Amino acid sequence: MKRRSLLLGGLAVTTPLLPAVPAEAAAPATAAPAAPLANLAHLDFLRQDVTPPHQPGHTTYRLADTPAVGALWTYAEPGPNGDFRRVGGGTYHPDTDTWGQGAFNADDISRAAVVYLRHWRQTRATTSRDAAYQLLRGLAYLQTVDGPYAGNVVLWMQPDGTLNPSAEPKELPDPSDSDASYWLARTIWALGEGYAAFRDADPDFAGFLRTRLDLAVAAVQRQVLVRYQQWQIIDGERTPAWLIVDGADATAEAVLGLAAYVEAGGGATARRALRHLAEGIAALADGGVREWPFGAVRPWALSRSVWHGWGAQMPAALARAAQVLHDPALLDPAVTDSAVFTPWLLTSGGPDNGRLPTRTDRTQIAYGVDSRVQSLLAVADATGRPGFAQLAALTASWWFGANPAGTPGYDPHTGRAIDGINGDGQVNRNSGAESTIHTLLSMLALDARPELAALARHTEIVERVGAVTLEAEDAVRLGGAAVVTPPSAWTGEALISGGYVDLPAGAGLRWQLPPADQPRLVSPVVDLRPGVPARTVWRSDAGPLGEVDHARVGAQGNSPAPGALLPVTLPRELAAHATELTAEATARDTASVDAVMLEPLVSRLTLAGEGWRTTLLRSAARTPRTAEVTAGGTGPATVEVYDAAGVLRTRTTGTAVTLRVTVLPGGFTLVRR
């Protein structure tokens, strides 16, 4: 499970990292599979039927007739012989056969139900229908049905079915059903898709799901939407106060369920909740082609500095809401996120756990990859623009070896997915519920689109040229510049990349730069403080670049920490032939510099495998640019040029080995052979 507490602690994965396994030693993923990619065997292994004892406030559909309900083990660890052992969360207590957290949790039960529901609807497999039915019954049992917490959800269940509303270590809210939460949002997701699937197949069960979904929506109205159209100030910017746990990420998963429910005939209350929550998500769209966060929909309303890969289904939620509500305005920020931000993300390293704002948490997990895939496909479906689907396929290549470890992240023969890849390429070979679930969601999407599945099966990153980060503490320090190592890198709303450098008036920094073949944007990552007269002047050996006013930020408001750690793009570009970058503090107050981000005007990512070769080019320029691409492969190369809205502007073919292609301002170009 991934929740805000993991982000705030700067953690990457919940289980220990194991040594990387060479690609050739892993299950082969380059040969065309004899069966569909989505193999539910390992998810089936994690399932468990449980007969809970009587617990006030908790019941489910036909509990007296069928006392066993569906549950799902949280983690799975490999043993020395290759077999996997199912594991709960927290410390295990053998004397009571309990875990500090629990064996099963609502987060994973809800999302596993979505997997089985989609598999059933896509393949008509009755086994998946039955699994979804049982898991939805188990999820409903976790929902509190009366009292002041009615509609909310208890997160953890022990192996014997006993609920654990206050886990160790403590999670918020505590008790876990005492307020809105990620698991309430995910429950709405599952109940909404469940109602849509069972509406005609089992109207009685669908009616039960409708009742429980309406109960959950009532809880959201009481705890969240009571603040609809109320705004809060975060470091000078207005952000919505009516998101679930202040998160567009959590809210997006609720919106996915509400969209399915409303589309299947859900009532006016759910439709109104869908619109209000979607409006809140859309309000967190930020930045542009050249400014942080580069057109992304931010996941957290309390920080301007944070973007994370896990749970980032905001574009998917907006696209689905736009379709169901027939509101094109909701689609616009999803398009920008997909056409501008995601190509930047892919060319600068991929869907990391945390850009906070630099690549301070480079771990990549299935939840983050799938969130991008689902978002791109949803926007492709909503707009009819094929470039987004191709970007989804390139993103999904992560599972087939196009990742920091260069090894497959999923074995379609067993249905197992890795739990993550650390920034240094170490692979976590555990295969827990969350990773399995989100891998299978992407595999189902690829199975439904065979042409994308073929494109996704690239197994190697040939080239990546994108944004890089220079640390301030690695620069030559001049005139009293001092490295500061804070007691905690987490500020409450951002993550300092190790340490930072304080620059009193007259102090400076100097970096030596490797030569480049094109101009670059320069974005110092600095601590902005309102009312603090600090200023830095930035130059290169090729000329001046601009100044940063370190007081250029508004009041703290509800932000968890004073000031804001943000990239500030300088007005002038760094010339291609520049070899030195300097910063000098010119005002009387101390300026703090964490790092510098350098972004080539045209960034690129090239993937290859099975005779295919695809290059993605992304532009941060203000005018059209040309770039040379070695197409590789055999046969004619296809060049598709997309603008900053993902609209296909030209499509040509060529037979030359090296092609000169155009990249439009803020747009992306795909070259495939």
Side-chain angles (χ1 to χ4, degrees):
M1 290 176 300
K2 292 289 177 288
R3 293 179 293 281
R4 186 77 62 206
S5 58
L6 293 187
L7 173 62
L8 298 188
L11 299 179
V13 291
T14 56
T15 44
L17 288 171
L18 303 178
V21 176
E24 61 270 17
T30 56
L37 288 169
N39 180 350
L40 275 56
H42 187 65
L43 191 62
D44 290 340
F45 165 74
L46 294 174
R47 280 173 44 218
Q48 174 94 34
D49 278 348
V50 181
T51 302
H54 173 72
Q55 296 170 93
H58 293 273
T59 186
T60 192
Y61 185 69
R62 295 185 175 175
L63 184 61
D65 298 336
T66 311
V69 301
L72 195 80
W73 282 90
T74 302
Y75 303 116
E77 298 176 345
N81 61 354
D83 292 337
F84 275 73
R85 179 174 71 97
R86 302 181 297 186
V87 182
T91 302
Y92 179 62
H93 305 285
D95 53 331
T96 58
D97 189 28
T98 60
W99 302 80
Q101 294 173 303
F104 324 117
N105 67 83
D107 279 333
D108 294 333
I109 292 171
S110 60
R111 292 178 289 180
V114 172
V115 172
Y116 284 109
L117 288 164
R118 293 185 182 181
H119 187 260
W120 167 38
R121 301 187 85 177
Q122 190 165 308
T123 68
R124 308 314 301 169
T126 57
T127 52
S128 289
R129 178 200 62 198
D130 296 343
Y133 172 85
Q134 272 294 82
L135 288 171
L136 288 168
R137 292 181 68 245
L139 180 63
Y141 186 87
L142 292 167
Q143 186 181 40
T144 302
V145 297
D146 54 27
Y149 302 157
N152 290 333
V153 180
V154 173
L155 176 57
W156 287 102
M157 176 185 279
Q158 298 290 4
D160 66 352
T162 302
L163 301 180
N164 184 19
S166 295
E168 290 294 337
K170 183 180 291 187
E171 300 175 82
L172 297 178
D174 181 32
S176 55
D177 64 342
S178 60
D179 204 348
S181 61
Y182 278 90
W183 37 100
L184 173 60
R186 291 166 183 152
T187 295
I188 291 172
W189 183 10
L191 293 176
E193 294 211 15
Y195 175 80
F198 281 101
R199 183 187 62 172
D200 297 327
D202 188 339
D204 188 58
F205 183 52
F208 168 79
L209 296 177
R210 180 175 190 141
T211 298
R212 289 305 189 90
L213 182 53
D214 289 345
L215 188 65
V217 171
V220 171
Q221 288 180 308
R222 181 179 72 245
Q223 298 160 156
V224 179
L225 290 177
V226 67
R227 299 186 295 275
Y228 175 60
Q229 289 190 331
Q230 294 180 20
W231 300 85
Q232 54 194 335
I233 298 300
I234 303 297
D235 296 318
E237 287 199 353
R238 195 177 74 156
T239 67
W242 67 91
L243 295 172
I244 298 172
V245 294
D246 284 309
D249 50 1
T251 304
E253 295 184 330
V255 164
L256 292 174
L258 287 171
Y261 179 50
V262 170
E263 190 174 51
T269 299
R271 176 177 289 271
R272 185 165 55 250
L274 171 62
R275 174 172 293 282
H276 293 172
L277 292 174
E279 288 174 2
I281 296 171
L284 285 184
D286 198 4
V289 172
R290 296 161 68 97
E291 294 82 27
W292 168 265
F294 310 112
V297 180
R298 291 188 281 110
W300 190 26
L302 300 187
S303 174
R304 295 171 55 187
S305 306
V306 163
W307 186 89
H308 52 74
W310 59 267
Q313 294 199 74
M314 294 81 72
L318 290 174
R320 290 289 293 123
Q323 288 178 302
V324 172
L325 298 173
H326 306 290
D327 186 352
L330 292 174
L331 187 58
D332 291 342
V335 167
T336 301
D337 186 298
S338 300
V340 175
F341 171 73
T342 298
W344 174 84
L345 183 73
L346 294 176
T347 58
S348 65
D352 295 333
N353 261 8
R355 308 289 180 111
L356 311 168
T358 60
R359 293 188 69 197
T360 37
D361 185 354
R362 294 184 294 136
T363 299
Q364 296 179 2
I365 60 175
Y367 193 7
V369 181
D370 177 58
S371 294
R372 288 292 91 187
V373 170
Q374 300 296 336
S375 290
L376 288 161
L377 292 176
V379 175
D381 289 344
T383 61
R385 298 171 191 171
F388 295 136
Q390 293 189 60
L391 291 178
L394 294 183
T395 306
S397 297
W398 186 92
W399 278 287
F400 303 100
N403 56 51
T407 187
Y410 171 64
D411 181 358
H413 303 294
T414 63
R416 294 176 188 146
I418 60 174
D419 265 358
I421 301 174
N422 212 6
D424 61 3
Q426 283 188 310
V427 179
N428 185 335
R429 293 287 172 188
N430 295 339
S431 189
E434 180 178 273
S435 298
T436 304
I437 287 163
H438 283 284
T439 298
L440 290 174
L441 288 173
S442 279
M443 295 305 116
L444 284 168
L446 292 178
D447 283 340
R449 303 165 177 84
E451 72 287 356
L452 297 186
L455 182 59
R457 298 184 77 88
H458 296 298
T459 56
E460 181 184 6
I461 298 174
V462 176
E463 182 184 29
R464 178 177 265 144
V465 179
V468 297
T469 301
L470 307 177
E471 296 295 341
E473 57 267 34
D474 293 339
V476 175
R477 296 183 294 279
L478 308 168
V483 174
V484 179
T485 303
S488 172
W490 177 247
T491 70
E493 62 177 5
L495 196 65
I496 299 166
S497 56
Y500 60 91
V501 175
D502 273 346
L503 301 177
L509 296 170
R510 183 174 68 240
W511 293 266
Q512 293 299 314
L513 305 174
D517 62 359
Q518 60 175 309
R520 288 168 284 183
L521 301 182
V522 180
S523 301
V525 182
V526 299
D527 184 27
L528 301 177
R529 299 275 178 148
V532 176
R535 185 177 296 271
T536 49
V537 175
W538 296 77
R539 299 182 178 89
S540 76
D541 53 331
L545 300 171
E547 298 183 2
V548 175
D549 178 2
H550 289 241
R552 196 184 71 178
V553 68
Q556 178 180 349
N558 287 348
S559 167
L565 187 70
L566 288 171
V568 178
T569 303
L570 298 176
R572 299 182 185 88
E573 296 160 3
L574 184 67
H577 60 273
T579 60
E580 185 175 277
L581 174 67
T582 63
E584 181 184 3
T586 60
R588 68 178 183 270
D589 252 21
T590 298
S592 298
V593 179
D594 179 41
V596 180
M597 294 168 54
L598 301 179
E599 168 79 7
L601 288 191
V602 176
S603 54
R604 70 174 66 201
L605 171 67
T606 299
L607 306 180
E610 287 197 342
W612 294 77
R613 186 180 178 103
T614 300
T615 295
L616 163 67
L617 301 154
R618 186 262 184 188
S619 174
R622 292 190 173 97
T623 58
R625 304 278 296 185
T626 58
E628 287 191 352
V629 175
T630 301
T634 59
T638 301
V639 179
E640 295 176 342
V641 179
Y642 296 88
D643 65 16
V647 175
L648 179 62
R649 293 302 183 183
T650 64
R651 186 179 191 273
T652 59
T653 59
T655 57
V657 173
T658 301
L659 303 169
R660 286 190 63 82
V661 302
T662 299
V663 193
L664 297 178
F668 62 94
T669 295
L670 290 165
V671 182
R672 187 174 69 254
R673 171 174 278 165

